[in-house]
Amino acid sequence: MKAFLLQSHYVQSWSDHFSLRNSTKHKYMDALERFEAFLLQEGFKGELNFDRFHASRNHPDRYLPIQRSVIDRFFQYLSKQDRMTDSLISASITALKNFFGFLQDMDLISVNPMLGVPTPKYERPIQNTALSLEECNLLLKAAIRRDPFYRQEFVLIWFMILSGLRISEVRTLRRSRVNLNTRIVHVSEGSKTTSRSVAISEELANEINRYIDHQVYQQGASQGDEFLFHCKGKQFPYERVVKILKECSMEAELSRIVRPHDLRRTTGYLMQLGGCSIIETQRQLGHKDLATTLRYVPPLLDLAKILEEL
């Protein structure tokens, strides 16, 4: 088996969202290639799933997420390689922390095996990609200029900013799961989703009500069982969401292209700005671990590092 890690959906998603210099990306890819070679030497077989990485010999149907012990053995493996310098090992630590940290932030893995691994002195700080209030306003204004009548793009972006739902949850959300009277959204579908409820504002609820009454929306309606954001009755493509955000970012003349997960981070930032507790933010975002939530609120990154090391 060759390139099972480098060709996986994990690396593809990480690569698509990588925001540092290309030279840095190449160095990180080299580290992932070394990690792949190590896993092959360890005898890895089967489909790559970091949440079902360790199989039980006595119970074939039981699995565990990738453990810290795998990472420890990887660095022992590196230390025994010819021409492996301390700087290359440090670079590998930085790369894997970036890679697995991204996967956890995107809810692609449930356990980050790099938590607690000592940080190289020159490692770049965790990037915060939340939008400021000004950027939110510019993005929303651009969306409504693009379509001032149906306003689907405007509602989609506003909904993602306020709800904090994962993109998979937004795309699979049914109209029947949105109670506009109580302003509660019941979430039960999507990648890494556990059933929960999130709140939206009265203003957004009113805008959604106007949106679903529009004749374009009604053409794909099916008595409330349709997707809240649908394309002629079908599920909204992920690629279309990315394209919408890219075009709105450019028309708003933002300094960067906004990605779907940036809006989820923005929810955490705005909740903190509005005085919500970290527990309320954790509940809204649907995080299992508080340390994950703390990565979404910029001023508390130091506290997140402390929790990771406990």
Side-chain angles (χ1 to χ4, degrees), residues 45-61:
K45 295 180 180 179
E47 183 179 353
L48 183 62
N49 186 334
F50 285 131
D51 281 343
R52 293 167 59 87
F53 192 82
H54 301 277
S56 170
R57 294 181 179 178
N58 298 326
H59 304 280
D61 58 333

Side-chain angles (χ1 to χ4, degrees), residues 215-231:
Q215 61 180 0
V216 176
Y217 185 92
Q218 289 298 320
Q219 290 173 2
S222 55
Q223 298 181 343
D225 194 46
E226 70 277 1
F227 297 108
L228 178 62
F229 299 103
H230 67 73
C231 182

Side-chain angles (χ1 to χ4, degrees), residues 173-230:
L173 181 63
R174 300 283 178 172
R175 161 67 187 91
S176 58
R177 307 297 291 172
V178 182
N179 190 321
L180 296 178
N181 293 322
T182 61
R183 305 193 300 278
I184 296 296
V185 178
H186 301 281
V187 188
S188 58
E189 297 180 79
S191 176
K192 305 297 181 183
T193 298
T194 55
S195 296
R196 70 186 192 284
S197 298
V198 300
I200 58 175
S201 69
E202 182 177 358
E203 293 79 9
L204 177 56
N206 291 337
E207 182 63 23
I208 291 174
N209 191 53
R210 187 213 58 79
Y211 156 71
I212 62 178
D213 280 342
H214 196 280
Q215 61 180 0
V216 176
Y217 185 92
Q218 289 298 320
Q219 290 173 2
S222 55
Q223 298 181 343
D225 194 46
E226 70 277 1
F227 297 108
L228 178 62
F229 299 103
H230 67 73

